């Protein structure tokens, strides 16, 4: 029976059967009993060894299975980690490409807007030049036509001495107007949208230079031009040539719209609290209405151009230069005018302290 349990693998049952049999054999003779007991003990030990061997094998199999499961699980986790890393890198790369694409799209749109703006500016410049040529051509046509017509009288000799004097005076006026117009045009062409070369200058001496240039024009209209040199600190940071263009145009306009024997005052005032100095150019001429004042710094054309008190013509180009150069030199311009009561331009500069002051 013990062998039967042993074959079935139930070593505990087999052990119990042999134990019972050993107890039964104890009642036999001692020699026979000892022998039988020893055999049983040996058999018992063998069964126990077989049982332990089987247990050890089972445990080793479980350990191997656990190791195999751990290896499989670890490999799976490593594989998943690798896959996640690859997906992350792909996603990161895709995001980077999307950002680059978005940046490229923005840059393309900006370039498109820039090209559109440049095309608009080119068209505006083209229209501007066409209008400029039209205005200049219109303003030059009349004096040249008059001059050409007068030369016919000179050639034929059909003109008196008095008429000749009138013609010469008229020629002088028209040629002077044309010269101012051409000077404005050349200055605008050279300096339009140009950069400034600023340095420290005194307003008084610069203004004196401009007034001396216009002395003949002032004398021709018998205008009383009073320049009161500043008794205050008048150093300013400006482009000297551009400042002279501003002053020349504003003083020329004052002469143009002041009646013969009228008065022009050029003087200064300061604002110590703000560190500013003002240059005033004030005349008692024909002045302007509010509509003209609002349009005075338009680019050029009939809206701002007017005939002077002695028939002087203009195209408004000079005031365009004044506006452009004042902006480049950080000069603030104020205009006060009333029809039939004169005009006053006020130029405001920032005073500049030098080391010796």
């Amino acid at each position: 029976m013990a062998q039967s349990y042993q074959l079935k693998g139930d070593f505990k049952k087999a052990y119990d059967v042999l134990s019972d049999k050993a107890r039964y054999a104890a009642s036999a003779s001692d020699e026979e009993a000892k022998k039988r007991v020893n055999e049983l003990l040996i058999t018992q030990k063998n069964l126990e060894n077989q049982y332990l061997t089987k247990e050890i094998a089972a445990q080793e199999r479980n350990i191997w299975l656990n190791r195999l499961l751990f290896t499989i699980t670890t490999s799976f986790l490593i594989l998943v980690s690798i896959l996640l890393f690859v997906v992350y890198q792909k996603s990161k790369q895709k995001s980077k490409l999307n950002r680059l694409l978005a940046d490229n799209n923005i840059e393309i749109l900006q370039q498109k807007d820039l090209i559109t703006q440049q095309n608009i500016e080119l068209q505006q410049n083209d229209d501007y030049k066409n209008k400029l040529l039209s205005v200049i051509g219109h303003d030059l046509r009349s004096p040249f036509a008059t001059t050409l017509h007068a030369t016919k009288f000179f050639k034929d000799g059909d003109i008196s001495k008095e008429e000749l004097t009138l013609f010469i005076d008229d020629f002088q006026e028209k040629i002077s107007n044309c010269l101012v117009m051409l000077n404005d045009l050349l200055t605008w062409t050279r300096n339009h949208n140009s950069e400034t070369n600023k340095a420290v200058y005194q307003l008084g001496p610069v203004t004196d230079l401009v007034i001396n240039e216009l002395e003949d024009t002032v004398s021709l209209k018998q205008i009383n031009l009073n320049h009161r040199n500043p008794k205050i600190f008048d150093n300013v940071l400006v482009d000297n040539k551009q400042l002279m263009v501003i002053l020349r145009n504003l003083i020329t306009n004052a002469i143009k719209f002041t009646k013969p024997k009228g008065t022009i005052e050029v003087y200064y005032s300061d604002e110590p609290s703000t560190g500013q100095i003002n240059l005033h150019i004030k005349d008692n001429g024909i002045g302007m209405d509010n509509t003209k004042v609002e349009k005075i710094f338009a680019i050029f054309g009939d809206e701002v151009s007017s005939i002077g008190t002695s028939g002087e013509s203009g195209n408004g180009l000079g005031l365009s230069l004044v506006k452009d150069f004042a902006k480049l030199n950080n000069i603030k311009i104020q205009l006060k005018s009333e029809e039939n009561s004169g005009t006053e331009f006020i130029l405001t500069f920032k005073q500049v302290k030098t080391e010796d002051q």
Side-chain angles (χ1 to χ4, degrees):
M1 185 177 291
Q3 290 179 351
S4 176
Y5 282 122
Q6 183 179 354
L7 292 173
K8 293 180 179 180
D10 193 347
F11 297 101
K12 190 174 184 306
K13 289 278 189 182
Y15 176 77
D16 291 338
V17 170
L18 290 175
S19 296
D20 292 339
K21 190 175 181 180
R23 284 192 300 271
Y24 175 76
S27 60
S29 62
D30 291 338
E31 289 296 329
E32 183 66 26
K34 289 180 180 179
K35 183 178 179 181
R36 188 60 181 164
V37 168
N38 287 334
E39 291 177 354
L40 289 173
L41 288 174
I42 292 170
T43 302
Q44 180 181 351
K45 292 294 181 182
N46 289 334
L47 291 173
E48 288 178 353
N49 288 338
Q50 290 180 10
Y51 176 77
L52 291 173
T53 301
K54 192 170 183 179
E55 286 291 326
I56 291 170
Q59 290 180 1
E60 288 179 349
R61 186 167 55 256
N62 289 336
I63 291 172
W64 179 83
L65 290 173
N66 288 335
R67 287 178 178 175
L68 179 62
L69 180 61
F70 175 77
T71 302
I72 293 172
T73 302
T74 303
S75 300
F76 176 75
L77 291 175
I78 292 173
L79 180 61
V80 170
S81 298
I82 293 173
L83 290 175
L84 289 175
F85 179 76
V86 171
V87 171
Y88 170 75
Q89 289 295 327
K90 290 291 184 181
S91 177
K92 186 177 179 181
Q93 185 178 11
K94 184 178 179 181
S95 298
K96 184 177 180 180
L97 291 174
N98 287 336
R99 285 196 301 271
L100 289 174
L101 181 60
D103 291 341
N104 288 336
N105 288 337
I106 292 173
E107 186 176 352
I108 290 172
L109 290 175
Q110 290 174 342
Q111 290 177 348
K112 183 179 179 181
D113 291 340
L114 179 61
I115 292 172
T116 301
Q117 183 62 32
Q118 288 175 342
N119 288 335
I120 293 173
E121 290 177 359
L122 287 173
Q123 184 61 46
Q124 289 175 342
N125 287 337
D126 189 53
D127 295 340
Y128 187 83
K129 290 176 182 178
N130 290 336
K131 187 175 182 180
L132 178 63
L133 291 174
S134 176
V135 170
I136 296 298
H138 178 270
D139 289 343
L140 291 178
R141 186 184 299 114
S142 177
F144 278 119
T146 302
T147 303
L148 182 62
H149 182 67
T151 57
K152 184 176 183 300
F153 287 103
F154 295 156
K155 184 178 180 180
D156 295 341
D158 188 17
I159 187 171
S160 65
K161 185 176 180 179
E162 292 76 11
E163 290 174 329
L164 179 60
T165 301
L166 292 175
F167 269 124
I168 291 175
D169 290 341
D170 188 50
F171 286 166
Q172 184 179 12
E173 181 68 27
K174 285 181 169 53
I175 291 173
S176 177
N177 291 337
C178 289
L179 182 60
V180 170
M181 190 185 309
L182 290 174
N183 282 336
D184 283 344
L185 177 61
L186 290 173
T187 303
W188 183 90
T189 303
R190 287 195 304 267
N191 296 282
H192 188 58
N193 291 330
S194 65
E195 295 183 355
T196 58
N197 297 311
K198 296 181 181 179
V200 177
Y201 293 94
Q202 288 184 284
L203 272 178
V206 175
T207 307
D208 265 334
L209 287 174
V210 175
I211 290 176
N212 289 336
E213 289 180 8
L214 301 173
E215 185 177 349
D216 290 341
T217 306
V218 172
S219 300
L220 187 64
K221 292 188 73 172
Q222 299 180 333
I223 289 175
N224 182 25
L225 197 162
N226 299 319
H227 177 214
R228 287 175 272 169
N229 278 294
K231 305 299 183 184
I232 54 179
F233 178 69
D234 65 337
N235 283 357
V236 294
L237 182 65
V238 292
D239 183 306
N240 186 40
K241 292 181 180 180
Q242 293 178 355
L243 175 59
M244 292 183 70
V245 170
I246 293 172
L247 297 177
R248 188 180 298 115
N249 274 282
L250 294 181
I251 295 174
T252 299
N253 270 2
I255 297 170
K256 176 180 176 181
F257 296 110
T258 298
K259 294 179 181 179
K261 298 184 180 181
T263 301
I264 299 174
E265 298 285 345
V266 179
Y267 62 96
Y268 306 83
S269 64
D270 64 346
E271 302 174 18
S273 61
T274 60
Q276 294 178 324
I277 181 172
N278 301 314
L279 170 58
H280 303 255
I281 302 173
K282 185 176 182 179
D283 65 64
N284 64 349
I286 59 176
M288 293 176 282
D289 58 25
N290 290 333
T291 302
K292 183 63 69 68
V293 169
E294 291 175 358
K295 297 179 180 179
I296 194 65
F297 286 114
I299 293 179
F300 53 79
D302 295 337
E303 289 185 344
V304 295
S305 178
S306 301
I307 302 300
T309 55
S310 295
E312 303 97 327
S313 62
N315 53 30
L317 183 59
L319 290 177
S320 173
L321 286 171
V322 169
K323 178 183 177 182
D324 290 345
F325 287 166
K327 183 177 181 180
L328 288 172
N329 289 274
N330 299 317
I331 301 171
K332 180 182 176 182
I333 301 180
Q334 299 178 66
L335 171 60
K336 299 178 181 179
S337 187
E338 186 175 343
E339 198 166 10
N340 299 319
S341 296
T343 299
E344 179 181 9
F345 282 95
I346 304 173
L347 307 180
T348 301
F349 304 80
K350 185 72 175 179
Q351 293 174 325
V352 179
K353 297 288 185 180
T354 57
E355 293 181 356
D356 56 343
Q357 292 174 325

